[in-house]
Amino acid sequence: MKAKYYRFIYQNVTEGMCCTGSMAESSGEEEPFHFLYLGGGSGGCEAREEELQQLKGHFHLVILGDFEPLTIKRAGKVLSMCRVDQVLYPYLTEEDRKSLAGEYGKMEDFTDEEIGLVEDPERYLKDRGIAERDAVKDRTAFLKGNRRFRVFCAGEGKKKSLVLYHGSEGGSPKTEECVLNVKPVLPSRCCSPFVDPKNLNCEMKCMLYNDFTQCKRHNQKNGTYFVDGHLVLGVGMTDIDFGEIRKSLDDVWTQIRVVCLAETDSLSGWMEELLQAGTEETAQYFVGNVNTEEALVHRIQTGNPYRIFASIGETSGLCLSGCYADR
C-alpha cells in the first residue's frame, strides 16, 4: 500500500516547547522531511541532556521560536549533536541582539558560544556548516510533500518569536483516508521523532499494547478537507499579532486539530477565538503545561467533550501519528 506516513510529537520536557515532526512516503519517491521547533518557557534555562537525547539524527529544518534563554540553550545542544540543513529564527535588530547578548553574558551558566548564537546567529550558524540560515522578518511559507508550512514573526523588540502552522494541502476525504492516532509519550515509552515507512514496529507495538485515540470523523466521504493542522503559538505574540495571524489562517482555521499554547499573559484574550478553531464534533487538542492558567484549562475542558487539554511535562508528552492512503 502506497502511503504518506507522519509523526508529530510534543516532547516531554520540563518547560517550554520542543515539537518534532517527521514525514516520509512508503514509495521512497520523495525524500523524507524532519523538523524541530524550539520555544522558551517561563524564564528557565536548564537544557537537560536526557530530554534531548532522543533528538539525535538529521533535521532538515530547525525553527528557533525565540531568543529566550531556554531556547538558546537547547538550540546549542541540538546543533552540536544533530545534522541540520536549515535554521529559521525571528529577525531582531543588531541593537536588540547585542542587548540580549549582554544580558545573557551576565548569567553564569551561559557559554561564549551560546552568547555568540544570540549576538550574531548568521555567523554562528554559518561557522557550523548550516547551509540555509534565514531570519524571518514578517512571514514565510513553503510546501513539503503534502504539507503546507506557514511561519509568522510576531512580537516586538527582543521578545519577537515565530508562530508556526502546518497542515495537509491538496488531499481530500473523497479520494484518501487520513489515519490519525493520538497517544501519550511517557519516559518509559519514548517515541522516535523520525518515522520510517520501512520499519513501523514502533507504531504497531505502541498501538497493539497501549490505549490510544483514533480520530476518524474527518474521513467522511462528503468532507472536503482533513482536520490535521497544528498551530504553535509564540511567546512574544501581541493582540495585534494574533489578529493578523488569525486573518491569514482564515482559509485553514477549520482544519486545526492541535493548538500549542505559548506561555504568555495575552493568551486569555485569544482563547475564545482559539476555541472556534477546528471543525464541529472533531477532537481538538490544546497542548500546555503546569504553567497554563487554571482558568484557561477549565474553559477548554468545559462545554465541549471533544476539546482536550494535554499537559506536557517531564513525565508526559503527546504523539500524533498515522498516514494518508488512497481509498
Short mmCIF file of all heavy atoms in Angstrom, two decimals, residues 142-169:
data_model
loop_
_atom_site.label_atom_id
_atom_site.label_comp_id
_atom_site.label_asym_id
_atom_site.label_seq_id
_atom_site.Cartn_x
_atom_site.Cartn_y
_atom_site.Cartn_z
N PHE A 142 6.01 27.50 2.78
CA PHE A 142 6.59 26.53 1.85
C PHE A 142 5.83 25.21 1.97
O PHE A 142 5.13 24.96 2.96
CB PHE A 142 8.08 26.32 2.13
CG PHE A 142 8.41 26.02 3.57
CD1 PHE A 142 8.47 24.73 4.05
CD2 PHE A 142 8.66 27.06 4.46
CE1 PHE A 142 8.77 24.45 5.37
CE2 PHE A 142 8.96 26.80 5.79
CZ PHE A 142 9.02 25.49 6.24
N LEU A 143 5.97 24.39 0.94
CA LEU A 143 5.29 23.11 0.87
C LEU A 143 6.32 21.99 0.93
O LEU A 143 7.32 22.01 0.22
CB LEU A 143 4.48 23.00 -0.43
CG LEU A 143 3.59 21.77 -0.62
CD1 LEU A 143 2.41 21.81 0.36
CD2 LEU A 143 3.07 21.71 -2.05
N LYS A 144 6.10 21.02 1.81
CA LYS A 144 6.93 19.82 1.90
C LYS A 144 6.03 18.60 1.79
O LYS A 144 5.18 18.37 2.66
CB LYS A 144 7.70 19.78 3.22
CG LYS A 144 8.79 20.84 3.33
CD LYS A 144 9.93 20.60 2.34
CE LYS A 144 11.04 21.62 2.50
NZ LYS A 144 12.13 21.39 1.53
N GLY A 145 6.19 17.83 0.70
CA GLY A 145 5.29 16.70 0.47
C GLY A 145 3.87 17.20 0.31
O GLY A 145 3.59 18.07 -0.51
N ASN A 146 2.97 16.67 1.14
CA ASN A 146 1.57 17.11 1.07
C ASN A 146 1.25 18.09 2.18
O ASN A 146 0.09 18.31 2.51
CB ASN A 146 0.64 15.89 1.19
CG ASN A 146 0.62 15.30 2.59
OD1 ASN A 146 1.62 15.36 3.31
ND2 ASN A 146 -0.51 14.72 2.99
N ARG A 147 2.28 18.72 2.76
CA ARG A 147 2.06 19.56 3.94
C ARG A 147 2.54 20.98 3.72
O ARG A 147 3.67 21.22 3.29
CB ARG A 147 2.76 18.95 5.15
CG ARG A 147 2.10 19.34 6.46
CD ARG A 147 2.42 18.34 7.57
NE ARG A 147 1.60 18.60 8.75
CZ ARG A 147 0.38 18.09 8.94
NH1 ARG A 147 -0.12 17.28 8.04
NH2 ARG A 147 -0.31 18.39 10.03
N ARG A 148 1.66 21.93 4.04
CA ARG A 148 1.95 23.35 3.91
C ARG A 148 2.41 23.91 5.25
O ARG A 148 1.78 23.70 6.28
CB ARG A 148 0.71 24.10 3.43
CG ARG A 148 0.82 25.62 3.46
CD ARG A 148 1.83 26.15 2.45
NE ARG A 148 1.45 25.84 1.08
CZ ARG A 148 2.16 26.20 0.02
NH1 ARG A 148 3.32 26.85 0.19
NH2 ARG A 148 1.77 25.89 -1.20
N PHE A 149 3.53 24.63 5.23
CA PHE A 149 4.07 25.29 6.41
C PHE A 149 3.93 26.80 6.25
O PHE A 149 4.25 27.35 5.19
CB PHE A 149 5.55 24.94 6.61
CG PHE A 149 5.79 23.51 7.03
CD1 PHE A 149 5.71 22.48 6.10
CD2 PHE A 149 6.10 23.20 8.34
CE1 PHE A 149 5.93 21.16 6.48
CE2 PHE A 149 6.32 21.89 8.73
CZ PHE A 149 6.23 20.87 7.80
N ARG A 150 3.48 27.45 7.31
CA ARG A 150 3.42 28.91 7.34
C ARG A 150 4.07 29.37 8.64
O ARG A 150 3.71 28.91 9.72
CB ARG A 150 1.97 29.41 7.27
CG ARG A 150 1.19 28.90 6.07
CD ARG A 150 -0.22 29.48 6.04
NE ARG A 150 -1.05 28.84 5.04
CZ ARG A 150 -2.31 29.18 4.78
NH1 ARG A 150 -2.88 30.16 5.46
NH2 ARG A 150 -3.01 28.53 3.86
N VAL A 151 5.02 30.28 8.52
CA VAL A 151 5.76 30.77 9.69
C VAL A 151 5.61 32.28 9.75
O VAL A 151 5.86 32.98 8.76
CB VAL A 151 7.25 30.38 9.61
CG1 VAL A 151 7.99 30.85 10.86
CG2 VAL A 151 7.41 28.87 9.44
N PHE A 152 5.21 32.78 10.90
CA PHE A 152 4.98 34.21 11.10
C PHE A 152 5.91 34.74 12.19
O PHE A 152 6.11 34.08 13.21
CB PHE A 152 3.54 34.47 11.55
CG PHE A 152 2.49 33.90 10.65
CD1 PHE A 152 2.06 32.58 10.80
CD2 PHE A 152 1.92 34.67 9.65
CE1 PHE A 152 1.08 32.04 9.99
CE2 PHE A 152 0.94 34.14 8.82
CZ PHE A 152 0.52 32.82 8.98
N CYS A 153 6.45 35.93 11.99
CA CYS A 153 7.23 36.59 13.03
C CYS A 153 6.30 37.51 13.81
O CYS A 153 5.60 38.35 13.22
CB CYS A 153 8.39 37.39 12.44
SG CYS A 153 9.49 38.07 13.70
N ALA A 154 6.26 37.34 15.12
CA ALA A 154 5.35 38.10 15.97
C ALA A 154 6.12 38.74 17.12
O ALA A 154 7.25 38.36 17.42
CB ALA A 154 4.24 37.19 16.51
N GLY A 155 5.49 39.69 17.79
CA GLY A 155 6.11 40.31 18.95
C GLY A 155 6.91 41.55 18.60
O GLY A 155 6.98 41.98 17.45
N GLU A 156 7.54 42.12 19.62
CA GLU A 156 8.28 43.37 19.45
C GLU A 156 9.65 43.28 20.10
O GLU A 156 9.83 42.60 21.11
CB GLU A 156 7.49 44.53 20.07
CG GLU A 156 6.11 44.73 19.46
CD GLU A 156 5.30 45.78 20.20
OE1 GLU A 156 5.66 46.08 21.37
OE2 GLU A 156 4.33 46.30 19.63
N GLY A 157 10.61 43.99 19.52
CA GLY A 157 11.93 44.12 20.12
C GLY A 157 12.59 42.78 20.39
O GLY A 157 12.60 41.88 19.55
N LYS A 158 13.13 42.65 21.60
CA LYS A 158 13.86 41.43 21.97
C LYS A 158 12.94 40.25 22.21
O LYS A 158 13.40 39.11 22.34
CB LYS A 158 14.70 41.70 23.23
CG LYS A 158 15.80 42.73 23.03
CD LYS A 158 16.60 42.97 24.29
CE LYS A 158 15.82 43.77 25.31
NZ LYS A 158 16.65 44.14 26.48
N LYS A 159 11.64 40.49 22.27
CA LYS A 159 10.67 39.43 22.56
C LYS A 159 10.01 38.86 21.31
O LYS A 159 8.99 38.17 21.41
CB LYS A 159 9.58 39.97 23.50
CG LYS A 159 10.06 40.19 24.93
CD LYS A 159 10.44 38.87 25.59
CE LYS A 159 10.83 39.03 27.03
NZ LYS A 159 11.21 37.74 27.65
N LYS A 160 10.58 39.10 20.16
CA LYS A 160 10.00 38.56 18.93
C LYS A 160 10.07 37.03 18.95
O LYS A 160 10.99 36.44 19.50
CB LYS A 160 10.73 39.09 17.71
CG LYS A 160 10.39 40.54 17.37
CD LYS A 160 11.07 40.97 16.09
CE LYS A 160 10.69 42.41 15.73
NZ LYS A 160 11.38 42.86 14.49
N SER A 161 9.06 36.41 18.34
CA SER A 161 9.01 34.95 18.29
C SER A 161 8.35 34.51 17.00
O SER A 161 7.73 35.31 16.29
CB SER A 161 8.25 34.40 19.49
OG SER A 161 6.91 34.87 19.50
N LEU A 162 8.50 33.23 16.68
CA LEU A 162 7.92 32.67 15.46
C LEU A 162 6.71 31.82 15.80
O LEU A 162 6.75 30.99 16.71
CB LEU A 162 8.96 31.82 14.72
CG LEU A 162 10.19 32.56 14.20
CD1 LEU A 162 11.09 31.61 13.41
CD2 LEU A 162 9.80 33.76 13.33
N VAL A 163 5.65 32.04 15.05
CA VAL A 163 4.42 31.25 15.16
C VAL A 163 4.40 30.30 13.96
O VAL A 163 4.65 30.70 12.82
CB VAL A 163 3.18 32.16 15.13
CG1 VAL A 163 1.89 31.34 15.15
CG2 VAL A 163 3.21 33.13 16.32
N LEU A 164 4.10 29.03 14.23
CA LEU A 164 4.14 28.01 13.18
C LEU A 164 2.76 27.38 12.97
O LEU A 164 2.11 26.98 13.93
CB LEU A 164 5.13 26.91 13.56
CG LEU A 164 5.12 25.63 12.71
CD1 LEU A 164 5.58 25.91 11.29
CD2 LEU A 164 5.98 24.54 13.36
N TYR A 165 2.35 27.31 11.71
CA TYR A 165 1.19 26.50 11.32
C TYR A 165 1.67 25.48 10.30
O TYR A 165 2.42 25.81 9.37
CB TYR A 165 0.07 27.34 10.70
CG TYR A 165 -0.98 26.46 10.04
CD1 TYR A 165 -1.98 25.86 10.79
CD2 TYR A 165 -0.90 26.17 8.67
CE1 TYR A 165 -2.91 24.99 10.19
CE2 TYR A 165 -1.83 25.32 8.07
CZ TYR A 165 -2.82 24.73 8.83
OH TYR A 165 -3.72 23.86 8.24
N HIS A 166 1.21 24.24 10.43
CA HIS A 166 1.43 23.26 9.37
C HIS A 166 0.23 22.33 9.29
O HIS A 166 -0.35 21.94 10.31
CB HIS A 166 2.73 22.48 9.56
CG HIS A 166 2.82 21.67 10.82
ND1 HIS A 166 2.41 20.35 10.89
CD2 HIS A 166 3.29 21.98 12.06
CE1 HIS A 166 2.63 19.89 12.12
NE2 HIS A 166 3.15 20.84 12.84
N GLY A 167 -0.15 22.00 8.07
CA GLY A 167 -1.30 21.12 7.84
C GLY A 167 -1.28 20.61 6.41
O GLY A 167 -0.59 21.17 5.54
N SER A 168 -2.04 19.55 6.14
CA SER A 168 -2.03 18.97 4.80
C SER A 168 -2.66 19.91 3.79
O SER A 168 -3.48 20.76 4.12
CB SER A 168 -2.75 17.62 4.80
OG SER A 168 -4.14 17.80 5.03
N GLU A 169 -2.26 19.74 2.54
CA GLU A 169 -2.79 20.57 1.46
C GLU A 169 -2.99 19.70 0.23
O GLU A 169 -2.11 18.90 -0.12
CB GLU A 169 -1.84 21.72 1.16
CG GLU A 169 -2.32 22.65 0.05
CD GLU A 169 -1.45 23.89 -0.09
OE1 GLU A 169 -1.51 24.75 0.81
OE2 GLU A 169 -0.70 23.99 -1.08
#
